[in-house]
Amino acid sequence: MTNPTFPRGMTRRSLLKGTMAITAAGLILPAHMAPAQAEPKKGGVFRVGIGHGSTTDGYDPGLWDQLFVQTFAAARHNYLIEIAADGNLVPEIAESWDSADGATWVFRIRQGVTFHSGKTLTPDDVVASLNHHRGEASTSAVKPYFDPVTDIKVDGQNVVVTLNAPNADFPYLMSDYHLPVMPGTDGKIDPTSTDGCGGYVVESYEPGVQATLNRNPNYWKAGRAHFDQIVLLTILDPAARLNALMTSEVDTIDQVDPASISLLESRGVAKILSISGNAHYCFPMDARAAPFTDNNVRLALKYAFDRQELVDKILAGHGSVANDNPIGPANRYFFAGMEAKAYDPDKAKFHLKEAGMDKLEVALSAANAAFSGAVDAAVLMSEKAAAANITITVDRVPDDGYWDNVWMKKPFCASYWGGRPVEDQMFTTAYQSGAAWNESFWSNEAFDKLLVAARSELDDAKRREMYQEMQRLVSFDGATIIPMYNNYVMALANTVATPEKVSNNWNLDGFRCVERWWFA
Amino acid sequence: MTGIWRMIGQRLLLGVLTLFIISLVIFGATELLPGDLARELLGQSATEETLAALREQLGLNEPAPVRYWNWLTGVLQGDFGVSMATQRPISELVGARLGNTLFLALYAAALSVPLSLLLGVLAALWRNSVFDRASNALALTVISFPEFFVAYILILWLAQTGLFPSMVRITGATTTGDLLYSAFLPALTLTLVVTAHMMRMTRAAIINLMASPYIEMARLKGMSPMRVVLRHAVPNALAPIINVVALNLAYLITGVVVVEVVFVYPGLGQLMIDAVTNRDIPVVQAIALIFASAYVLLNLLADVLSTVTNPRLMHRT
């Protein structure tokens, strides 16, 4: 759980230069797969019941935001770079990538790959796919990734991306699920097209209901995409999802309700897959609004509740305690040795006193839209905080419109993050001063400086130190309470086989279950 | 006969007026929803810039009366517009779902109407018997449970034992036979939920008539009780029965979202919930209008049918 996803000996230099060395071996199947593991078998119809999906879903990659479209995309598309199950970057459409200075990135595009339509993939398609997320008119959610990009151009079989400042983690950004390679015409992709170069070809899709895909007979990857057909079903109701699995209507479901995990296990009809990743639940406080302007108040709240209790009761043990740290155990530079915050009413009282108060009254807005169990978690916190003279009034708000009316509007509320594979991505997205999604409006000069410096730091040890210092700042000065990392909990029919290592980068094996799993 | 046509004409005009008022209410209500589509579409990842770009693209910056007028004139020409979120024509989006919803409603009606009429007539016939009490008690018990509970019980008994599927999948290749089989549990759930209302209304209407002098006369002539009920009581009890059947049919079309969710049935109710949470206003408006029309039309039909089956009402006009 605490092992970083990068081999310990790996330096940043070798990350930059050496990624192409992982090609053949790393690409086909994780190299460490035990020989005892059964060889993947071909065939079968793999049906996945997913607790997301709506009629408004579409093919425009810039608007994708949840597990159904993410998995659907992973089935029909390929990306420049793939994050392997062990967290390493492996080549996909980019055969290799390199950068001399961290600011100019050269991606060598694989030859001989064809789209489902029969068109051959060219570097121009890659440029068109990336440009979809760039520029004033773009509505893409990952537009901020491309703010530092000054130029994207084709150079023979290469695509060259120029940044205005070095960023050692840029290849990680290129693995983002919003950035599939799609066919371009006149430098533009068609955001309503199903066409991709992934392992499955779309047969039918009804948004919010289901998608059916058949195996791509011309798929270039060997040893991947084992199923004949993939059926992705939207099943929003957790009980209906569980029923579908128990009556063999589907083979895999995501987001198993923690309360029913033990019941499901005792029935013996399915196995539980519980993967600890970087996903976390959190309670951001508005650092601009009194009383949260005072770090002592923030610290008092951080010591005023029992983190282990939340893990046990809200996650039914399928998760781990977090130390107000958005960088998770699956990240490379995770600061495992940071001083833990136990439930300590006396320490909370001490910090209140430092802030010049003997009691504190705050309102916490929560809805289960933030995460399943958010309201219960808030109530548990409020119960425990009473011993530290802190009165937390839980304000239960409607799920509908939560992200519109409560999140980043109320001074203290519940939220969640899927976690990010790269520290820089997580910090830049939600903790840098003035970032659009900086939900706590926290601003710390030392942190901001470190963040920029770490991006172009070449020495791995120094870089680790910088990221650990940033984690410490967020944890002990930040305005976000992060009590726990939630596991990705899936349930699989007994017939479904997975590689020994299942990715902890996002749910459903990093959305790649469709490509990596098989029927035993 | 001209009287009946005039009445239908009048009712239709009134119906159109009602629908117009409803359209105003629908539009006003959707305006009151907090948040907007651009925000919902981009979700947690929205930034001011991307929001502004998307709002401009979707035409959300027009004032409300202009949007209402554009919408109304479109609807009058049979064009519900395109979904803001998916850019698909709404008629296409709603069409398939409406078909599914009507199928489930008719399926449930085909099970529940004959069942409740039969139970109601028999209960009236054998009033206060064990049969009467048992069927009443059972029907009332079932209607007292929330729909999802009935649904889960049925899944536990009939789906987990492997008799029927626990969810409905409708693809291009699904035949009517498959559909009748896979949609049996949702239809049965709805049947259980609506039967009590219709059955008790039938029973009450017939029992009410059984006290009238002409029934007494029929009995005195020595007719069998069954014949008295079927030949003399039922035709005169039809008006209230038709009304309650129409109400329940309207319910089956508009109010089954819980059952749809439990059985993953792709009907209009789920589409509407989806559209509301996504602030896809044109879709919400279209569905609300369809639901309102269903109520207006079914009530109209009930009015006309109960007039036709009641000679006294026929001759009064």
Side-chain angles (χ1 to χ4, degrees):
Chain A
M1 240 199 52
T2 50
N3 52 328
T5 55
F6 261 51
R8 287 196 184 273
M10 195 169 211
T11 66
R12 200 195 69 92
R13 195 34 73 182
S14 66
L15 160 73
L16 291 182
K17 292 256 172 186
T19 22
M20 61 211 82
I22 321 174
T23 41
L27 154 87
I28 294 166
L29 269 180
H32 53 70
M33 248 186 64
Q37 184 98 9
E39 278 293 300
K41 274 199 315 204
K42 291 228 170 286
V45 179
F46 184 49
R47 300 156 304 170
V48 193
I50 298 176
H52 283 108
S54 104
T55 37
T56 52
D57 297 342
Y59 290 116
D60 185 346
L63 299 178
W64 294 339
D65 58 351
Q66 33 77 1
L67 195 59
F68 189 95
V69 280
Q70 287 158 342
T71 313
F72 186 33
R76 68 180 193 276
H77 286 303
N78 272 172
Y79 294 79
L80 275 179
I81 294 169
E82 174 182 354
I83 297 190
D86 57 6
N88 283 320
L89 294 181
V90 294
E92 199 160 40
I93 291 304
E95 271 179 339
S96 64
W97 52 94
D98 193 10
S99 174
D101 55 359
T104 306
W105 284 92
V106 179
F107 297 89
R108 181 152 191 87
I109 305 305
R110 188 178 300 279
Q111 280 176 303
V113 176
T114 52
F115 288 105
H116 302 153
S117 58
K119 182 181 183 304
T120 304
L121 187 148
T122 65
D124 288 313
D125 297 318
V126 175
V127 174
S129 302
L130 296 182
N131 274 337
H132 179 67
H133 307 271
R134 268 179 91 202
E136 276 301 300
S138 173
T139 52
S140 171
V142 291
K143 203 168 156 181
Y145 290 2
F146 289 88
D147 285 343
V149 173
T150 53
D151 186 40
I152 301 179
K153 65 170 191 285
V154 176
D155 174 19
Q157 195 59 29
N158 295 338
V159 169
V160 183
V161 181
T162 315
L163 311 177
N164 59 14
N167 184 354
D169 292 328
F170 190 71
Y172 269 98
L173 297 184
M174 293 299 103
S175 72
D176 190 282
Y177 65 84
H178 290 98
L179 306 173
V181 179
M182 292 169 75
T185 6
D186 303 331
K188 282 205 159 83
I189 58 162
D190 175 6
T192 60
S193 154
T194 69
D195 202 11
C197 50
Y200 298 90
V201 184
V202 180
E203 180 189 294
S204 68
Y205 176 39
E206 195 183 336
V209 183
Q210 65 175 351
T212 308
L213 305 95
N214 295 316
R215 191 173 194 287
N216 175 6
N218 304 319
Y219 196 37
W220 61 274
K221 269 190 212 178
R224 282 290 189 90
H226 306 291
F227 302 108
D228 290 335
Q229 192 176 57
I230 302 282
V231 178
L232 304 174
L233 292 157
T234 292
I235 309 180
L236 298 176
D237 183 37
R241 216 155 51 233
L242 210 54
N243 269 323
L245 182 74
M246 296 210 303
T247 55
S248 300
E249 297 287 330
V250 297
D251 306 301
T252 290
I253 58 173
D254 74 317
Q255 297 172 70
V256 183
D257 179 18
S260 39
I261 290 172
S262 58
L263 293 171
L264 188 63
E265 276 176 326
S266 68
R267 289 285 290 262
V269 291
K271 52 197 173 197
I272 296 286
L273 195 57
S274 183
I275 305 287
S276 71
N278 297 328
H280 52 269
Y281 295 156
C282 57
F283 297 93
M285 304 170 264
D286 187 344
R288 305 166 307 175
F292 305 116
T293 42
D294 189 335
N295 189 39
N296 276 306
V297 170
R298 309 200 291 252
L299 278 172
L301 281 163
K302 287 174 182 174
Y303 283 107
F305 69 100
D306 188 347
R307 290 158 198 262
Q308 189 59 48
E309 183 188 37
L310 293 189
V311 172
D312 293 341
K313 292 184 177 161
I314 304 297
L315 301 176
H318 289 270
S320 51
V321 167
N323 191 8
D324 304 314
N325 185 358
I327 303 306
N331 279 114
R332 282 169 296 171
Y333 301 125
F334 174 59
F335 192 175
M338 191 158 52
E339 182 201 334
K341 297 194 196 76
Y343 172 51
D344 191 341
D346 290 332
K347 209 160 188 174
K349 278 184 197 158
F350 165 79
H351 283 292
L352 275 189
K353 212 170 190 178
E354 290 285 294
M357 306 175 173
D358 49 334
K359 63 181 172 48
L360 174 66
E361 284 181 23
V362 290
L364 171 54
S365 309
N368 288 340
F371 56 87
S372 152
V375 178
D376 292 342
V379 171
L380 286 173
M381 284 166 73
S382 127
E383 289 294 315
K384 279 288 189 306
N389 293 340
I390 299 177
T391 314
I392 301 178
T393 317
V394 178
D395 178 16
R396 184 172 188 163
V397 291
D399 283 351
D400 193 26
Y402 184 80
W403 301 109
D404 231 3
N405 306 321
V406 179
W407 184 68
M408 290 184 80
K409 299 257 167 39
K410 299 278 184 194
F412 191 19
C413 68
S415 174
Y416 79 100
W417 284 91
R420 295 290 185 272
V422 190
E423 294 77 1
D424 179 55
Q425 209 179 351
M426 187 71 231
F427 284 147
T428 310
T429 315
Y431 293 90
Q432 189 178 21
S433 301
W437 315 328
N438 182 340
E439 51 188 0
S440 67
F441 303 95
W442 180 63
S443 170
N444 183 308
E445 210 178 317
F447 175 87
D448 291 343
K449 274 190 186 148
L450 270 173
L451 185 61
V452 176
R455 233 173 257 162
S456 42
E457 174 56 54
L458 302 180
D459 184 327
D460 190 57
K462 270 196 194 145
R463 203 158 183 240
R464 174 177 300 274
E465 223 167 77
M466 290 165 123
Y467 277 117
Q468 296 200 334
E469 173 61 13
M470 281 186 256
Q471 292 173 55
R472 204 190 56 76
L473 281 172
V474 169
S475 178
F476 287 91
D477 186 71
T480 309
I481 295 176
I482 305 174
M484 51 193 159
Y485 300 111
N486 55 303
N487 283 8
Y488 297 119
V489 184
M490 303 153 251
L492 283 60
N494 293 326
T495 49
V496 177
T498 67
E500 198 184 357
K501 170 103 179 134
V502 172
S503 175
N504 55 16
N505 168 47
W506 299 108
N507 211 335
L508 289 177
D509 206 353
F511 318 134
R512 303 272 184 155
C513 60
V514 284
E515 183 168 304
R516 291 176 182 164
W517 297 3
W518 65 92
F519 280 121
Chain B
M1 246 356 240
T2 50
I4 187 86
W5 289 116
R6 232 180 60 204
M7 190 201 80
I8 293 177
Q10 275 174 355
R11 291 292 156 93
L12 267 177
L13 278 179
L14 275 176
V16 170
L17 184 68
T18 317
L19 282 177
F20 173 70
I21 296 170
I22 290 171
S23 78
L24 273 174
V25 173
I26 293 170
F27 195 85
T30 48
E31 284 295 300
L32 291 179
L33 283 173
D36 76 357
L37 172 78
R39 182 88 211 191
E40 289 300 324
L41 263 186
L42 292 170
Q44 199 198 25
S45 54
T47 64
E48 281 311 314
E49 283 169 53
T50 51
L51 273 180
L54 196 60
R55 277 200 192 114
E56 183 61 36
Q57 208 175 312
L58 296 172
L60 290 175
N61 295 331
E62 302 258 11
V66 175
R67 277 182 285 129
Y68 175 69
W69 178 250
N70 291 344
W71 173 64
L72 192 68
T73 46
V75 169
L76 287 180
Q77 294 157 19
D79 172 20
F80 282 102
V82 293
S83 152
M84 280 188 180
T86 59
Q87 305 301 324
R88 284 166 72 189
I90 290 175
S91 43
E92 177 195 314
L93 203 64
V94 168
R97 296 296 188 101
L98 182 62
N100 293 346
T101 289
L102 288 180
F103 175 83
L104 185 59
L106 287 178
Y107 193 0
L111 292 178
S112 61
V113 172
L115 179 72
S116 37
L117 291 188
L118 183 72
L119 286 178
V121 169
L122 291 181
L125 194 62
W126 300 321
R127 189 177 168 190
N128 295 336
S129 68
V130 175
F131 173 82
D132 180 24
R133 282 162 202 275
S135 53
N136 263 313
L138 195 69
L140 287 176
T141 310
V142 174
I143 204 178
S144 310
F145 286 125
E147 285 166 39
F148 67 87
F149 184 75
V150 175
Y152 286 145
I153 293 288
L154 289 181
I155 286 179
L156 181 67
W157 287 347
L158 298 177
Q160 298 208 352
T161 50
L163 286 175
F164 291 95
S166 68
M167 59 178 281
V168 187
R169 274 187 61 199
I170 301 176
T171 62
T174 313
T175 63
T176 313
D178 291 343
L179 202 52
L180 283 174
Y181 172 64
S182 66
F184 180 72
L185 287 188
L188 185 61
T189 309
L190 289 173
T191 302
L192 292 176
V193 171
V194 296
T195 297
H197 191 195
M198 291 191 281
M199 173 201 137
R200 286 181 57 81
M201 196 51 143
T202 310
R203 177 180 175 275
I206 291 175
I207 285 176
N208 196 21
L209 283 174
M210 295 300 266
S212 15
Y214 80 96
I215 298 284
E216 196 85 349
M217 186 63 215
R219 277 217 194 103
L220 287 174
K221 282 197 298 188
M223 276 181 174
S224 72
M226 187 62 103
R227 194 169 154 77
V228 171
V229 168
L230 291 183
R231 184 80 185 83
H232 294 271
V234 168
N236 282 300
L238 272 182
I241 296 174
I242 287 171
N243 267 312
V244 74
V245 168
L247 262 185
N248 277 294
L249 279 179
Y251 170 78
L252 285 177
I253 292 174
T254 61
V256 298
V257 63
V258 173
V259 174
E260 284 178 10
V261 167
V262 171
F263 291 102
V264 203
Y265 191 88
L268 267 189
Q270 279 215 61
L271 181 65
M272 186 166 188
I273 300 269
D274 216 24
V276 170
T277 43
N278 287 307
R279 303 290 181 269
D280 198 348
I281 301 306
V283 177
V284 178
Q285 289 163 339
I287 298 176
L289 212 53
I290 288 173
F291 283 171
S293 314
Y295 261 97
V296 170
L297 282 178
L298 282 167
N299 273 308
L300 177 75
L301 191 69
D303 266 4
V304 173
L305 282 181
S306 47
T307 313
V308 172
T309 53
N310 190 333
R312 276 169 303 182
L313 290 178
M314 275 284 274
H315 290 295
R316 206 179 50 191
T317 40

